[in-house]
Amino acid sequence: MKRRDALLALLPLAGCGGGGASAASADPAAAAPAAPAAPTSPPATNGMRDLTSLQLSQQMGAGWNLGNSLEAIGGETAWGNPATAQALMTAVKAAGFKTVRIPVSWKQYADANDNIATTWLSRVAQVVDYARNAGLHALVNIHWDGGWMQPTLAAQPVANARITKFWTQIANHFKGYDDMLLFAGTNEVMVEGDYGTPKAEYVDVQNGFNQAFVAAVRATGGNNAVRHLVVQGFNTNIDHTVNFAVMPTDTAANRLMMEVHYYDPYDFTLNDKSAIWQWGAGATDAKATQTWANEAYTDAQFQKMKARFVDKGVPVILGEFGAIRRTEYTGAEAYRVAWNRYVSRSAWAHGMVPVYWDAGAARDNHSMGLFDRATGEQVYPVLIQALVDGAR
């Protein structure tokens, strides 16, 4: 997600980077993943196992997002969630999740020269430590962060310089962490408000962002020379990723992953003004159901990612997915559970790591939270079990 969930209803049918309508086709051969460069004798590392990213992804299981916390504009608690504590991460692990994605905003904690405050780096590290103490894989990114990462030629020089400077500082701060910590360079990069098929300019600049991220992290050396890194397709849209993404050149072999998101169909998953509250083969009311994005569609979208990336040795992180609760419709929760169960299971079956989007406020209508953020209590144990079981 780019911002807090109160803005979700403003998004169009394509959702927050899900498959959406099919993008214009491109030459798949021209967009095939580039073969990673041979490793250049990285320095001695500590805790970095001899695992390809594909092998690591098979250990990551079901994942969960610490959404609307460290990326909240105005401070960690500005969007209504309490400060993250060890008890929450321990509860996430106890529920059966194996991975936590930690969206982070950095620009608001940096000075005019893009120097990140050491206090903020230390706070992010503290949350990462909570995850690692619980036995979770941790995935840290640069999230929406005010929208400065616009994929245009005009914005490219400043954005590339900032990506390089931010990731150099982040990577150096975490240089000694083992391979249970992963970095993800961007989040849902797009020209603000433009959800259509991207122009060639936009795609080229986004691919350049991915390259700048990888180069900056690798240049810090130490464990970062072989750390598993996650890059994204344009707006994390499956069709745009399949058609236009180019894997960065890398000095480490087989240490890259691709990330997409999935919120289809939007009227069911995110649109709180919609009367669409049923989904899938179990739907009983045609007026409450959309005619697309059913089980077969989900499988077909994920099969595209499998064929384009996983089968070529590049694992895929399904970095966000989820559907809001709808208490205004009796029986809606069963369909929400069914959608999440199917997406989690299909993603895992197609070689993707499913990471559920949780923005907190679990007891609010139209939220997607799973846990009480203050205590770690499971508010929706049936849904949690469906997500976890899908990735076994």
Side-chain angles (χ1 to χ4, degrees):
M1 293 289 183
K2 287 189 173 63
R3 307 186 188 97
R4 64 183 304 177
D5 287 355
L7 299 183
L8 289 177
L10 301 179
L11 299 176
L13 182 62
C16 294
S22 296
S25 62
D27 180 2
T40 57
S41 300
T45 55
N46 181 28
M48 307 299 283
R49 295 164 293 175
D50 186 18
L51 294 173
T52 67
S53 287
L54 188 61
Q55 290 169 330
L56 181 67
S57 73
Q58 293 162 355
Q59 300 180 8
M60 292 174 70
W64 175 84
N65 271 275
L66 180 68
N68 280 18
S69 288
L70 299 190
E71 86 279 27
I73 304 303
E76 183 178 354
T77 62
W79 291 351
N81 286 316
T84 304
Q86 181 66 64
L88 176 60
M89 292 298 182
T90 301
V92 170
K93 175 64 173 179
F97 292 101
K98 296 181 179 180
T99 296
V100 59
R101 181 172 178 257
I102 304 175
V104 183
S105 169
W106 302 95
K107 186 66 177 76
Q108 64 178 322
Y109 301 102
D111 65 19
N113 295 314
D114 289 333
N115 297 302
I116 302 168
T118 56
T119 53
W120 184 240
L121 284 164
S122 295
R123 174 55 181 159
V124 176
Q126 185 177 42
V127 174
V128 170
D129 289 344
Y130 293 155
R132 292 295 298 109
N133 291 341
L136 292 161
H137 298 85
L139 176 60
V140 169
N141 75 0
I142 291 180
H143 214 65
W144 178 70
D145 211 16
W148 56 264
M149 210 180 293
Q150 292 291 294
T152 63
L153 290 174
Q156 186 178 28
V158 170
N160 273 353
R162 183 169 290 149
I163 288 168
T164 298
K165 188 156 188 178
F166 279 179
W167 276 113
T168 298
Q169 295 171 79
I170 299 164
N172 274 321
H173 195 82
F174 290 100
K175 185 184 295 188
Y177 281 65
D178 66 18
D179 61 9
M180 296 285 282
L181 174 64
L182 300 85
F183 297 149
T186 65
N187 182 71
E188 297 183 353
V189 171
M190 58 176 289
V191 172
E192 200 68 23
D194 183 353
Y195 288 84
T197 300
K199 298 178 181 178
E201 170 191 347
Y202 304 164
V203 174
D204 289 346
V205 174
Q206 160 65 0
N207 286 330
F209 290 167
N210 286 337
Q211 185 65 65
F213 156 63
V214 171
V217 173
R218 296 295 183 230
T220 62
N223 283 3
N224 294 326
V226 291
R227 189 172 305 284
H228 301 271
L229 305 180
V230 182
V231 297
Q232 291 190 339
F234 189 82
N235 198 21
T236 60
N237 177 291
I238 288 176
D239 290 308
H240 299 341
T241 301
V242 168
N243 289 332
F244 306 122
V246 175
M247 295 302 295
T249 299
D250 192 8
T251 53
N254 303 312
R255 293 295 190 278
L256 296 179
M257 304 185 182
M258 178 58 71
E259 180 181 347
V260 291
H261 299 169
Y262 187 78
Y263 291 104
D264 291 334
Y266 165 72
D267 283 339
F268 175 80
T269 61
L270 297 179
N271 185 1
D272 62 0
K273 306 297 190 297
S274 168
I276 301 299
W277 60 276
Q278 296 189 11
W279 177 85
T284 60
D285 184 351
K287 297 189 298 297
T289 311
Q290 293 211 306
T291 58
W292 72 292
N294 54 17
E295 293 92 341
Y297 176 88
T298 302
D299 289 340
Q301 288 297 93
F302 294 170
Q303 176 59 33
K304 292 177 185 179
M305 294 301 296
K306 182 177 185 296
R308 174 73 164 76
F309 295 100
V310 179
D311 289 348
K312 295 179 173 66
V314 179
V316 173
I317 304 292
L318 185 64
E320 295 183 16
F321 69 98
I324 61 174
R325 65 189 299 244
R326 298 176 186 268
T327 59
E328 63 270 37
Y329 297 106
T330 302
E333 186 66 7
Y335 294 102
R336 184 167 80 117
V337 171
W339 184 90
N340 280 288
R341 176 186 291 112
Y342 199 90
V343 171
S344 179
R345 183 179 298 160
S346 181
W348 190 250
H350 288 90
M352 303 165 68
V353 179
V355 187
Y356 178 86
W357 177 256
D358 182 328
R363 292 180 173 84
D364 291 354
N365 193 27
H366 300 151
S367 77
M368 289 189 288
L370 299 178
F371 297 90
D372 184 313
R373 289 284 183 93
T375 66
E377 175 194 355
Q378 294 185 25
V379 180
Y380 300 101
V382 173
L383 177 52
I384 290 171
Q385 196 64 50
L387 292 165
V388 170
D389 287 348
R392 292 193 188 278

